[in-house]
Amino acid sequence: MEFAIDIRDMTVAYRDKPVLWDVDLQVAPGVLIAIVGPNGAGKTTLIKASLGLIKPAAGSVLIHGKPYAQQRKSVAYVPQRGSVDWDFPTDVLDVVTMGLYGKLGWFKRPGKEERVDALKALSQVGMEEFANRQISQLSGGQQQRVFLARALVQNADVYFMDEPFQGVDATTERAIVDLLQNLRKQGKTVAVVHHDLQTVSEYFDEVMLLNVRRIASGPVGSEFTEENLRTTYGGRVAFVSALSAKQTS
Ligand code: ADP
């Protein structure tokens, strides 16, 4: 079988300090996978290295059997909300339309058709009425929805999302979950850095537990175990016990 995401032997170091060590991850098409692990575990680094934004010391990444450079147009990335300058003077529609630049090429300006697509993506995340709003005037949850629309408009096959649920209210969380389910229904593959261990089993098919090394990855039912969580999170297991209590109740 050809994997949608196939990461092999990935090692990344910042100034000689390894932050990812010999990590493998294979994800089949149409799977929603959560990437979990403590702060500093290398989750963002894994995504950035997969997208060629950081050069790994070793390893390879194939997206649907080909190097990322050949698959750019079929991969969408939702970065962490905090990694972006939201004071930049631009409006919501522009941010979403910019998601199409990879497809259009830098020299073709977006036209009417692209704007229609961008508005459609905004309506999918319930943000169409904000199309002309300056991005500096959005709430955190609205910013997150705009980012998702920007990824949706690319109509990619593989999505990498870095903490899309961070700081959003319950309504936006539900909207994002619905959107993930819709992507899966369309056969898309979505890898999501996720912090809320309580919702991993409910929202995702598979999980990767990461702490510099890959601790485990695979179906939530077999891999999201107390033992794997203890190995991943070390001594900080109070919430892990709460989790397993919930699972067995
Ligand atoms: P996570 O997403 O799991 O919280 P990151 O991938 O952001 O972890 O970071 C992994 C480790 O790499 C951390 O120890 C972090 O401090 C370090 N790191 C991240 N980016 C850089 C950078 N640009 N330069 C040096 N160290 C970095």
Side-chain angles (χ1 to χ4, degrees):
M1 183 184 54
E2 186 179 275
F3 292 108
I5 303 170
D6 189 355
I7 300 172
R8 307 252 171 185
D9 307 326
M10 168 88 69
T11 295
V12 176
Y14 292 115
R15 289 183 221 93
D16 297 337
K17 182 181 163 242
V19 295
L20 284 179
W21 189 258
D22 210 13
V23 170
D24 284 298
L25 178 66
Q26 279 79 39
V27 187
V31 166
L32 296 185
I33 182 167
I35 302 172
V36 305
N39 291 331
K43 303 179 295 294
T44 297
T45 302
L46 181 70
I47 290 185
K48 286 189 172 169
S50 301
L51 298 169
L53 298 169
I54 296 172
K55 197 173 168 350
S60 66
V61 180
L62 297 179
I63 304 289
H64 284 290
K66 292 190 189 134
Y68 171 71
Q70 292 171 35
Q71 294 285 35
R72 235 171 254 280
K73 288 178 190 164
S74 55
V75 180
Y77 170 43
V78 179
Q80 264 183 38
R81 190 156 49 87
S83 66
V84 165
D85 176 10
W86 291 95
D87 289 328
F88 192 80
T90 185
D91 69 20
V92 165
L93 190 62
D94 275 344
V95 169
V96 177
T97 314
M98 272 187 264
L100 286 163
Y101 279 6
K103 279 216 163 70
L104 290 172
W106 283 99
F107 301 106
K108 188 172 176 295
R109 294 284 122 203
K112 196 166 169 216
E113 195 184 319
E114 284 76 29
R115 272 194 285 278
V116 168
D117 286 349
L119 280 170
K120 200 172 125 204
L122 278 170
S123 80
Q124 280 177 270
V125 299
M127 283 292 288
E128 68 275 35
E129 63 201 82
F130 293 86
N132 298 316
R133 178 81 71 89
Q134 286 293 305
I135 59 165
S136 58
Q137 297 166 0
L138 299 175
S139 74
Q142 290 166 343
Q143 291 173 345
Q144 200 64 60
R145 287 173 185 238
V146 170
F147 259 8
L148 289 162
R150 188 173 177 279
L152 284 178
V153 81
Q154 294 173 55
N155 197 19
D157 290 319
V158 175
Y159 291 77
F160 288 96
M161 302 186 181
D162 202 342
E163 296 195 42
F165 295 104
Q166 198 208 357
V168 303
D169 64 16
T171 314
T172 299
E173 175 145 346
R174 201 61 249 167
I176 297 174
V177 172
D178 289 348
L179 190 146
L180 293 179
Q181 303 288 349
N182 265 331
L183 290 172
R184 182 182 38 199
K185 251 187 242 156
Q186 296 165 41
K188 318 276 188 183
T189 311
V190 194
V192 180
V193 173
H194 192 58
H195 268 293
D196 181 8
L197 297 177
Q198 311 282 346
T199 52
V200 167
S201 309
E202 186 187 341
Y203 294 171
F204 295 95
D205 310 313
E206 296 192 6
V207 64
M208 174 194 210
L209 293 120
L210 181 72
N211 192 347
V212 183
R213 296 166 188 272
R214 180 187 71 174
I215 310 299
S217 71
V220 167
S222 59
E223 304 306 323
F224 196 59
T225 61
E226 180 163 352
E227 190 189 347
N228 283 339
L229 283 164
R230 277 183 200 281
T231 311
T232 309
Y233 287 87
R236 287 162 284 169
V237 291
F239 62 97
V240 174
S241 315
L243 177 80
S244 48
K246 188 177 161 225
Q247 279 178 341
T248 49
S249 65

